[in-house]
Amino acid sequence: MDEILDLLIIGAGPAGLSAADAAAREGLSYLVIEKGTIANTIRQYPVGRTLFSTPNELEMREGALQPIREKPTREELLSHYIHFVLDNDLRINTGEEVFDVERSDAEGFVLRTRSVRARDHEKTYRARTILFAIGAMEHPRWLNVPGEDLPKVHHRFVEPYAYIRKDALVVGGGNSAAEAALFLSEEGVRTTMAIWRDDWENRDPKAGAMKHWVRSPLEREIAEGRLRVILYKHIDEVTAREVTLTTETGEKRTIPNDVVFVLVGSDADLTLLKKLGVQTAPGKLTEVPVYDSETFETNVPGIYVAGHFTNARHIKAAIDVPRKIVPLIAQSLRTTVGV
């Protein structure tokens, strides 16, 4: 395309939507490219999930998110973000994946995309600056044990209803694993949760402890005999009907099951950032790009980052950061190219 965009935003989650809104307010020419759907990460949350955060930490405009209860559900938040896009007529291409990006010899960057549905349908874009708002759920982490590639093993949990009166094993120690085990148990699935002792005994929210409103009903399910918890050391093998694990005491145990959920976290896809030469470093949980703490610009001029795959991991930060840095991007462009 002949147009040179001032800002191309990769990702239409809370950070990408906030950046698009800020870019429109600054009068920048912009476009959001999203290979999934609007708020795709939220859409991958379990059906009916209640968010941990209050409306003021999630909403795009003050007072705009009004859930029926104290905290919004997945569906209420999805509707809020979608209507924010519609009401503000934000420029977003969904179902389109950026597969290559490089610095142009002339001005800015050249990006190539393809349609998720028609892989041979490609487009080329030029942009002066790029904001990566790609989220951190692209690559679910694997245990890398024999049998983990069997069809009964899943690395994301959506809903319990296909597994009623069946045996399920949930492996993991964070909120996602705890919620999955709780939802399964509450809906009549014979559920076992395998968790490390450090995770089970962790009560510090800042250290990733499961939220108390998840732990309390989880412990009730345990007390009433519907949910079993095993403190394990490692998973040994998955077979068609069983999982063999080693407990923290070194005992070998075989757990019969029909389905296994391995929910031990996920990582962002940093491939394109690294291709551009962006430096990365170990973060609290995973590898993150290196960026300026004020501008969120990386070591590659014109490449910015925001959202859950940075060190500003909360949704509120994902919304607030673009409101801070997009005006700085606009100011820089006005100075250098007279935008």
Side-chain angles (χ1 to χ4, degrees):
M1 66 185 290
D2 294 332
E3 176 188 11
I4 302 179
L5 297 165
D6 296 323
L7 175 63
L8 192 141
I9 301 159
I10 304 176
L17 300 185
S18 179
D21 179 55
R25 289 169 175 264
E26 290 291 331
L28 299 180
S29 60
Y30 75 92
L31 179 66
V32 181
I33 302 292
E34 166 61 59
K35 73 175 181 179
T37 59
I38 295 168
N40 199 62
T41 295
I42 306 299
R43 184 165 165 258
Q44 294 181 47
Y45 286 174
V47 172
R49 172 182 174 179
T50 297
L51 275 294
F52 300 135
S53 304
T54 52
N56 65 301
E57 297 175 306
L58 302 168
E59 60 194 359
M60 288 292 174
R61 295 275 191 271
E62 185 176 354
L65 178 57
Q66 298 182 346
I68 295 175
R69 297 176 180 170
E70 178 186 0
K71 296 179 180 180
T73 63
R74 161 192 180 268
E75 289 72 21
E76 288 173 321
L77 187 58
L78 268 176
S79 180
H80 170 69
Y81 289 147
I82 289 167
H83 282 281
F84 180 76
V85 170
L86 297 174
D87 293 345
N88 293 282
D89 195 24
L90 299 181
R91 294 186 63 196
I92 300 176
N93 289 359
T94 57
E96 188 174 346
E97 178 184 11
V98 179
F99 70 90
D100 189 40
V101 58
E102 58 186 14
R103 181 175 287 281
S104 170
D105 291 336
E107 184 176 21
F109 304 89
V110 175
L111 301 92
R112 296 171 63 201
T113 72
R114 59 187 164 218
S115 169
V116 172
R117 292 185 177 180
R119 306 296 284 179
D120 59 344
H121 185 199
E122 298 185 359
K123 293 182 180 179
T124 300
Y125 298 92
R126 297 167 62 200
R128 294 185 174 91
T129 59
I130 303 174
L131 173 63
F132 282 80
I134 55 178
M137 293 184 66
E138 181 64 22
H139 298 303
R141 296 173 196 152
W142 285 47
L143 300 173
N144 295 317
V145 300
E148 192 175 0
D149 57 349
L150 288 171
K152 75 169 187 177
V153 181
H154 305 275
H155 294 83
R156 288 198 176 119
F157 173 77
V158 177
E159 61 179 17
Y161 305 110
Y163 314 107
I164 308 306
R165 291 182 172 174
K166 296 185 182 297
D167 294 300
L169 174 67
V170 178
V171 181
N175 283 300
S176 294
E179 279 188 316
L182 177 61
F183 288 177
L184 288 161
S185 180
E186 287 181 332
E187 298 301 327
V189 182
R190 296 184 294 269
T191 307
T192 299
M193 183 178 185
I195 183 172
W196 289 336
R197 177 176 290 278
D198 287 349
D199 289 332
W200 180 248
E201 295 181 348
N202 181 15
R203 295 295 193 275
D204 183 2
K206 294 181 179 179
M210 65 180 75
K211 306 296 184 182
H212 68 85
W213 53 83
V214 177
R215 180 181 286 274
S216 295
L218 194 73
E219 291 178 338
R220 184 168 59 248
E221 290 293 303
I222 296 168
E224 295 178 0
R226 290 188 292 269
L227 173 65
R228 177 173 58 162
V229 170
I230 296 176
L231 301 178
Y232 82 108
K233 184 177 181 181
H234 54 78
I235 305 297
D236 300 318
E237 183 181 14
V238 181
T239 64
R241 293 291 304 156
E242 300 170 333
V243 168
T244 303
L245 58 77
T246 302
T247 70
E248 65 169 1
T249 61
E251 176 191 0
K252 292 282 187 179
R253 294 188 62 176
T254 299
I255 313 297
N257 51 71
D258 302 291
V259 62
V260 179
F261 294 97
V262 177
L263 306 174
V264 293
S266 57
D267 299 306
D269 185 351
L270 304 180
T271 304
L272 293 178
L273 282 166
K274 289 180 177 180
K275 181 179 184 295
L276 286 165
V278 172
Q279 297 173 358
T280 63
K284 294 179 181 179
L285 300 173
T286 186
E287 184 180 18
V288 296
V290 175
Y291 56 88
D292 184 277
S293 60
E294 292 298 318
T295 65
F296 281 69
E297 187 173 23
T298 68
N299 61 291
V300 178
I303 299 296
Y304 298 80
V305 293
H308 193 63
F309 78 113
T310 70
N311 289 314
R313 296 180 61 84
H314 195 275
I315 291 181
K316 180 171 174 54
I319 295 171
D320 289 344
V321 165
R323 292 173 177 170
K324 170 187 173 183
I325 66 173
V326 171
L328 298 178
I329 295 172
Q331 183 179 353
S332 176
L333 288 173
R334 291 185 188 109
T335 301
T336 56
V337 297
V339 171

XYZ file of all heavy atoms in Angstrom, residues 5 35 49 65 67 99 142 160 167 178 275 303 339:
112
model
N 1.576 4.652 7.359
C 0.880 4.854 8.623
C 1.827 5.487 9.637
O 3.019 5.176 9.672
C 0.376 3.521 9.170
C -0.666 2.786 8.327
C -0.799 1.341 8.797
C -2.015 3.506 8.424
N -4.689 -11.064 14.605
C -4.889 -12.340 13.902
C -6.087 -13.110 14.435
O -6.633 -13.971 13.739
C -3.635 -13.189 13.976
C -3.328 -13.804 15.316
C -2.109 -14.713 15.175
C -1.760 -15.385 16.479
N -0.598 -16.290 16.338
N -16.552 -16.963 33.282
C -15.580 -16.593 34.321
C -15.833 -15.183 34.828
O -16.090 -14.259 34.069
C -14.164 -16.680 33.758
C -13.104 -16.123 34.714
C -11.719 -16.175 34.097
N -10.739 -15.519 34.943
C -9.444 -15.434 34.665
N -8.971 -15.964 33.563
N -8.614 -14.814 35.476
N -18.250 0.541 32.054
C -18.437 -0.887 32.304
C -19.286 -1.053 33.558
O -18.844 -0.735 34.662
C -17.079 -1.574 32.476
C -17.088 -3.074 32.803
C -17.850 -3.866 31.757
C -15.666 -3.593 32.939
N -21.191 -3.944 35.266
C -21.596 -5.350 35.386
C -22.765 -5.507 36.351
O -23.032 -4.633 37.184
C -20.340 -6.019 35.943
C -19.635 -4.932 36.696
C -19.899 -3.674 35.920
N 3.274 -11.670 9.642
C 4.241 -12.765 9.629
C 5.653 -12.290 9.309
O 6.614 -13.058 9.443
C 3.819 -13.858 8.639
C 3.912 -13.499 7.187
C 5.087 -13.731 6.471
C 2.844 -12.920 6.532
C 5.172 -13.411 5.135
C 2.917 -12.593 5.189
C 4.090 -12.833 4.486
N 4.377 -26.291 27.997
C 4.202 -27.737 28.069
C 5.073 -28.307 29.178
O 6.101 -27.725 29.557
C 4.576 -28.379 26.736
C 3.556 -28.193 25.652
C 2.935 -27.022 25.310
C 3.054 -29.187 24.764
N 2.066 -27.237 24.261
C 2.125 -28.559 23.903
C 3.304 -30.548 24.613
C 1.442 -29.253 22.910
C 2.624 -31.240 23.619
C 1.700 -30.602 22.786
N -16.514 -26.833 31.367
C -16.466 -28.188 31.921
C -17.479 -29.166 31.333
O -17.405 -30.360 31.598
C -16.785 -27.940 33.402
C -17.729 -26.778 33.381
C -17.266 -25.904 32.230
N -13.470 -38.425 34.540
C -12.324 -38.155 35.406
C -11.393 -37.145 34.750
O -10.963 -37.347 33.598
C -11.556 -39.449 35.687
C -12.373 -40.445 36.494
O -12.759 -40.105 37.620
O -12.629 -41.549 35.970
N -6.497 -23.343 39.220
C -7.438 -23.436 40.340
C -8.870 -23.224 39.873
O -9.786 -23.940 40.293
C -7.064 -22.405 41.408
N 13.577 -10.539 15.494
C 14.017 -10.371 14.112
C 14.421 -8.926 13.847
O 15.364 -8.649 13.089
C 12.904 -10.788 13.151
C 13.270 -10.672 11.674
C 12.111 -11.132 10.795
C 12.518 -11.107 9.315
N 12.793 -9.760 8.812
N 10.157 1.195 17.572
C 9.467 -0.025 17.994
C 9.118 0.092 19.478
O 9.997 0.221 20.329
C 10.331 -1.283 17.760
C 10.657 -1.432 16.273
C 9.611 -2.522 18.283
C 9.443 -1.660 15.386
N 4.276 15.334 11.169
C 2.932 14.737 11.141
C 1.918 15.685 11.762
O 2.176 16.263 12.806
C 2.937 13.386 11.908
C 1.528 12.883 12.078
C 3.776 12.391 11.159
